[in-house]
Every structure is written in C-alpha cells, then in structure tokens.
C-alpha cells in the first residue's frame, strides 16, 4: 500500500510538474508572441517614420526645385525683356541715323540744286573744241574758222 501511495504521489507530482511546465511553457509562448508583436509594431512604426521622412524630404526637394525653376524662369524672362528692349533701342537708333542721313542728303541736294541754277553753264563750241579748247594736239592754225 505504501508503494502504491508512493507511486500515486509520484504520479501526482509528475502530473503537477507537467501542468506547471505546460503552464510556464504557455506563459513563455504568450510572452514570446507579445514580444514579437511589439517588435513588429516597433519595426512598422520605424518604417512608417522613415517613409514619412523620405516623403517629406521629397516634397521639400520638389518645392526647392520649383522655387529655383521659378527664379530661373523669372531671370530668363527678364533677360529676354532686356534683350528685346536693347534691340528696339538699336532699331530706333538705326532708324534715327537713317532719317538723319536722308535729311542731310536732301539738304545737300537742295543746296546743290540752288547753287547749280546760279552757276553759268559752259558753252559747247563743237566736237573738237569742248569748252573752247582743242581736243587733240594744240595748234593755233588747226581748224581755224575763216
């Protein structure tokens, strides 16, 4: 009977230890799952934060690029405007020079026309005596008119 009691006690002790071991195993598994879940959450949170940071940097870079592009575009338009303005000034100067040249030429022509009317015209004496002189070898006796 003692042996049976002892075997029963050992069996109960074995069962009790088995239950305790299973309980501890379950608790350990639960803790492990909880720890893995928290680790996944931390990892996901970290990834989300990194992704948000990258997105923010991307947006900031895009805004910076847009600002620089707008500045460049504004500068380019100002340069084009200045270039067109200079071209117009050069064109106006050329037109003014041409107008001045034309007026000067007209004035000189009119003065020449006025002075040409008052100048005496040369008398043409014939083919051999333009302006009253012989065209060939000069000889007093040559081509005398009698």
């Amino acid at each position: 009977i003692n042996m049976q009691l002892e075997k029963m006690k050992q069996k109960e002790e074995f069962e009790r230890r088995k239950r305790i071991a299973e309980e501890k195993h379950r608790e350990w598994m639960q803790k492990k799952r909880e720890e893995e879940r928290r680790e996944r959450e931390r990892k996901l949170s970290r990834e989300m934060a990194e992704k948000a940071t990258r997105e923010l940097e991307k947006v900031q870079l895009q805004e910076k690029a847009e600002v620089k592009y707008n500045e460049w575009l504004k500068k380019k338009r100002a340069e084009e405007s200045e270039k067109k303005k200079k071209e117009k000034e050069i064109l106006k100067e050329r037109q003014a020079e041409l107008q001045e040249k034309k007026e000067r030429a007209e004035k000189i022509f009119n003065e020449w026309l006025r002075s040409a009317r008052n100048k005496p015209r040369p008398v043409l004496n014939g083919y051999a005596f333009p302006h009253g002189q012989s065209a060939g070898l000069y000889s007093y006796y040559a081509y005398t008119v009698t």
Side-chain angles (χ1 to χ4, degrees):
I1 295 175
N2 270 342
M3 269 179 108
Q4 281 183 343
L5 274 175
E6 192 132 340
K7 277 187 179 182
M8 291 245 316
K9 279 184 182 180
Q10 284 178 355
K11 193 175 182 182
E12 283 177 8
E13 185 66 26
F14 177 76
E15 289 293 323
R16 188 180 66 83
R17 285 184 181 190
K18 189 178 176 183
R19 273 193 314 257
I20 291 172
E22 286 176 358
E23 184 77 25
K24 285 186 178 181
H25 183 261
R26 262 184 269 145
E27 286 175 9
W28 179 82
M29 287 296 288
Q30 190 175 0
K31 283 181 183 179
K32 187 71 173 170
R33 284 188 203 117
E34 187 68 25
E35 192 178 306
E36 287 175 352
R37 186 185 62 78
R38 274 186 258 150
E39 185 63 33
R40 279 194 306 267
E41 286 177 356
R42 268 184 268 153
K43 188 177 179 181
L44 185 64
S45 176
R46 196 177 325 120
E47 286 176 359
M48 294 291 279
E50 287 175 1
K51 186 177 179 182
T53 304
R54 283 193 303 267
E55 286 293 321
L56 182 63
E57 287 174 356
K58 186 178 177 182
V59 168
Q60 287 174 343
L61 188 64
Q62 199 170 11
E63 287 175 355
K64 189 176 178 181
E66 192 173 329
V67 166
K68 285 199 174 209
Y69 172 74
N70 287 335
E71 288 175 1
W72 174 82
L73 190 62
K74 187 177 178 182
K75 183 180 174 184
K76 220 33 163 170
R77 286 181 179 162
E79 286 176 2
E80 285 181 19
S81 175
E82 189 67 29
K83 186 178 177 182
K84 285 181 181 180
K85 193 176 180 181
K86 284 182 180 180
E87 286 176 358
K88 283 183 181 180
E89 287 178 12
I90 290 171
L91 185 63
K92 282 183 181 181
E93 287 177 7
R94 286 183 184 168
Q95 287 177 344
E97 287 175 6
L98 287 173
Q99 185 67 28
E100 186 179 323
K101 190 175 179 182
K102 186 177 177 181
E103 288 174 1
R104 205 175 331 124
E106 268 188 49
K107 185 178 177 184
I108 292 171
F109 175 74
N110 287 336
E111 286 179 19
W112 174 82
L113 200 57
R114 247 184 284 124
S115 66
R117 288 182 187 158
N118 297 336
K119 286 186 182 176
R121 295 188 180 183
V123 179
L124 300 176
N125 293 330
Y127 177 74
F129 296 95
H131 307 292
Q133 296 177 353
S134 172
L137 292 171
Y138 179 73
S139 172
Y140 182 76
Y141 297 105
Y143 307 112
T144 55
V145 180
T146 49

